[in-house]
Amino acid sequence: VGIFHWNTNEANTLWLTGWIPTMEDQYLSACLGLFLMAIVVRGLGGINIFFTTWLRAKDYNRLPIVVSKNKKVTSSNNNNNNTKIPWSPSFEWITDTLSSVLTTLEYFLMFLLTMIVMTGNGQYFISILLGIFIGEMIFGRLR
């Protein structure tokens, strides 16, 4: 297990050996870039769910359920055995492809951020955590 370091003169490689910030302004730019990348990662999950729900809205209008006055969701078939009807949206090329692309991009960026945390650089770690926090504040309600 490594230790986190807090200075700029250690090996602070960002994914490739050519991406090593050597001056303070490069280092701050790298921290800002990681911060923004973490915000984008949090946003992709919410945007994915938002667009998938929006694209499937026409299917949700066809659900065989009724909401009664006491806010209980029951089947519109009035079955006496009180079983719920399982429902899954049908496969749609555009919706499911968009969802898959956004999910893949989200996980790809998350893995890249994980690689940066594994370098043990404390400033990078804090930048990523702050980005996740701000991104969740902005996009968390979309999930």
Side-chain angles (χ1 to χ4, degrees):
V1 176
I3 334 174
F4 278 99
H5 53 87
W6 299 94
N7 51 18
T8 58
N9 56 6
E10 301 262 346
N12 297 315
T13 306
L14 292 174
W15 302 298
L16 300 173
T17 55
W19 294 357
I20 301 174
T22 55
M23 298 186 312
E24 189 173 341
D25 59 339
Q26 294 173 341
Y27 192 73
L28 291 174
S29 297
C31 287
L32 179 64
L34 292 171
F35 171 76
L36 295 174
M37 186 175 172
I39 290 175
V40 168
V41 166
R42 294 309 305 151
L44 282 174
I47 290 170
N48 182 7
I49 291 175
F50 178 78
F51 279 122
T52 302
T53 303
W54 179 68
L55 289 172
R56 292 190 193 275
K58 62 184 180 306
D59 289 337
Y60 289 126
N61 292 333
R62 289 188 259 148
L63 285 175
I65 58 174
V66 175
V67 179
S68 63
K69 290 181 183 177
N70 59 1
K71 307 240 184 212
K72 283 189 175 179
V73 178
T74 58
S75 169
S76 61
N77 296 340
N78 271 341
N79 291 341
N80 291 335
N81 59 3
N82 229 1
T83 58
K84 293 183 181 178
I85 299 173
W87 181 80
S88 177
S90 60
F91 179 80
E92 296 178 15
W93 279 103
I94 294 173
T95 305
D96 293 325
T97 303
L98 175 66
S99 177
S100 297
V101 166
L102 287 173
T103 301
T104 303
L105 181 61
E106 177 186 6
Y107 278 91
F108 174 72
L109 293 176
M110 284 178 11
F111 290 138
L112 289 179
L113 289 174
T114 301
M115 289 172 60
I116 294 299
V117 170
M118 290 170 49
T119 64
N121 186 306
Q123 286 100 341
Y124 290 166
F125 181 65
I126 297 297
S127 298
I128 291 169
L129 284 180
L130 287 174
I132 290 171
F133 177 77
I134 299 296
E136 186 64 26
M137 285 178 53
I138 296 170
F139 299 106
R141 68 184 177 281
L142 296 178
R143 292 186 292 126

